[in-house]
Amino acid sequence: MARIIIMGPPGSGKGTQAVHIAKHFGVPAISTGDLFRAHARERTGLGLEAGAYMDRGEFVPDHVTTNMLKQRLEEVDAANGFLLDGYPRTVMQIGALDELLAMRGQALGVVLALTVPDDELVARMLLRAKEQGRRDDTEDVIHRRLELYRDETQAVLTAYVQRGILLTVDGSGEPENITAAAIAAVEKALVP
């Protein structure tokens, strides 16, 4: 059973890697962004609540995100594991995830963090902004997003380092090489 979290700064290729890694381990890749969009599209109570915060440009509160995740983890395809992308983002969410897993008699297996130098992240995001016509992704905005990511996730990374389950993989280079390195690291960590 693979129960994995993937983390990485904006532009690290985390979403792409999540799909490949999850497929390799035969578990669903569960993204909080996808959960928000699905709930909003289906106009669920949680989706309407989350939408009200997002419409104001505010973060969706932990309890809403956690309830969405709880429902998703109860689906059949997540019975034998999952790969979480975008959760947990706070220490409070770590505790909520621990509780959700404990209720299922499960524990988290590994946390995979992709590391990429800032100059490469900025170059990737500027290229993506140009290709997608996103004028709002300026170099200053990108640097701010990277700063917010670090501020937001440092305590989460530290908590998982203390548990001895954080792996780091170099997220630079060719995507298929990063996938191979990530899968090898996770397989090694999950061997009893």
Side-chain angles (χ1 to χ4, degrees):
M1 279 210 223
R3 287 180 295 280
I4 307 163
I5 292 171
I6 189 167
M7 298 181 72
S12 65
K14 178 175 54 82
T16 300
Q17 293 302 324
V19 171
H20 295 300
I21 296 165
K23 182 178 180 184
H24 175 83
F25 287 101
V27 298
I30 301 171
S31 155
T32 52
D34 290 346
L35 288 177
F36 291 154
R37 286 184 286 279
H39 277 268
R41 188 174 50 252
E42 296 165 16
R43 300 189 55 76
T44 66
L46 288 171
L48 295 172
E49 189 174 352
Y53 287 96
M54 293 187 300
D55 290 347
R56 294 191 301 263
E58 297 175 14
F59 286 121
V60 176
D62 286 346
H63 74 277
V64 176
T65 308
T66 300
N67 283 329
M68 286 182 183
L69 180 64
K70 179 178 187 289
Q71 288 178 9
R72 180 62 183 91
L73 291 179
E74 290 169 354
E75 292 180 24
V76 174
D77 67 339
N80 291 319
F82 52 78
L83 185 148
L84 298 181
D85 171 1
Y87 190 98
R89 287 189 187 266
T90 65
V91 173
M92 185 176 282
Q93 289 181 355
I94 291 174
L97 179 59
D98 288 345
E99 285 180 30
L100 289 176
L101 293 176
M103 288 188 300
R104 300 162 54 109
Q106 299 174 341
L108 189 59
V110 66
V111 178
L112 177 69
L114 297 176
T115 59
V116 182
D118 278 4
D119 59 341
E120 186 173 339
L121 292 170
V122 171
R124 285 181 187 181
M125 288 190 286
L126 287 173
L127 177 63
R128 184 173 67 191
K130 183 178 178 183
E131 290 173 348
Q132 296 175 0
R134 294 171 59 172
R135 290 187 179 90
D136 57 328
D137 270 351
T138 63
E139 192 163 342
D140 287 342
V141 169
I142 291 167
H143 280 289
R144 179 65 183 140
R145 287 176 59 204
L146 292 172
E147 184 182 314
L148 286 172
Y149 170 80
R150 286 193 184 85
D151 291 348
E152 182 179 74
T153 59
Q154 189 55 54
V156 174
L157 293 170
T158 300
Y160 288 130
V161 165
Q162 291 169 347
R163 292 185 187 189
I165 62 170
L166 182 74
L167 305 173
T168 58
V169 169
D170 184 355
S172 300
E174 294 301 315
E176 57 274 7
N177 295 338
I178 299 164
T179 301
I183 288 170
V186 171
E187 283 179 336
K188 184 176 178 184
L190 292 178
V191 172

